Amino acid sequence: AFFPRELQMSDTEDTAATPYHSPIAYPMAGKKLAKRVLKLIKKSSKKQEIKRGMKEVTKSIKKGKKGICAIAGDISPIDCVAHVPVVCEDADIPYIYVPSKEALGSAAGTKRPTSLVFVQVQSDGDLEDAYNEVVEEIKQQSV
């Protein structure tokens, strides 16, 4: 499985336990939402509908692409990704912090930990339903 051990535990707890989370990592995805976001990223990476890393994600957002931005909550120093939520809000793109950069990197199809992943699902693709459900959950959590 591509999920770290803390995300494979039961879904009874509403927050994922990792050793470090940045104090500005809000909204942090709970276990269920984190699993759904990581599954969406994994399926999208097989179809090459993701951008990963600071440079690619920022470029995609500034070009006006629409999608979901997943940010690792355990990035240190957090200053590296501190501007991304502001850019996402300006572009009206939903974003969510996930607990682990290792899980984010592994879901994106790399062996390296990843700080940011941008999922852009095509409107005619078969992942559109899962994408829309995740977007609704992110919007509910961030309100």
Side-chain angles (χ1 to χ4, degrees):
F2 62 94
F3 297 115
R5 180 169 158 64
E6 65 267 5
L7 291 179
Q8 290 180 353
M9 291 188 231
S10 70
D11 292 327
T12 56
E13 300 173 21
D14 57 329
T15 58
T18 58
Y20 170 76
H21 285 266
S22 171
I24 67 167
Y26 177 81
M28 179 65 74
K31 285 191 177 196
K32 282 187 178 181
L33 181 56
K35 281 184 181 180
R36 293 181 75 179
V37 169
L38 293 174
K39 280 184 183 178
L40 178 65
I41 291 170
K42 184 168 185 176
K43 289 178 182 177
S44 298
S45 72
K46 290 179 182 175
K47 296 184 176 240
Q48 297 179 345
E49 295 176 342
I50 65 167
K51 301 289 182 186
R52 56 184 171 258
M54 178 65 63
K55 189 175 179 182
E56 288 185 22
V57 170
T58 306
K59 187 171 29 172
S60 294
I61 293 172
K62 288 186 177 181
K63 281 185 175 180
K65 308 236 182 198
K66 293 296 177 184
I68 299 172
C69 187
I71 308 167
D74 60 347
I75 293 296
S76 178
I78 194 66
D79 298 344
C80 299
V81 295
H83 71 284
V84 175
V86 176
V87 174
C88 287
E89 287 175 2
D90 288 344
D92 196 32
I93 292 174
Y95 66 93
I96 191 82
Y97 285 89
V98 293
S100 169
K101 62 186 174 186
E102 287 82 11
L104 198 57
S106 131
T110 62
K111 294 179 182 178
R112 301 272 310 156
T114 303
S115 58
L116 293 168
V117 173
F118 183 75
V119 179
Q120 50 187 25
V121 176
Q122 307 298 327
S123 60
D124 59 345
D126 57 344
L127 295 175
E128 186 180 9
D129 293 333
Y131 171 80
N132 291 333
E133 289 174 12
V134 170
V135 168
E136 288 303 316
E137 284 189 46
I138 290 172
K139 287 182 179 178
Q140 287 175 359
Q141 187 165 353
S142 63
V143 171

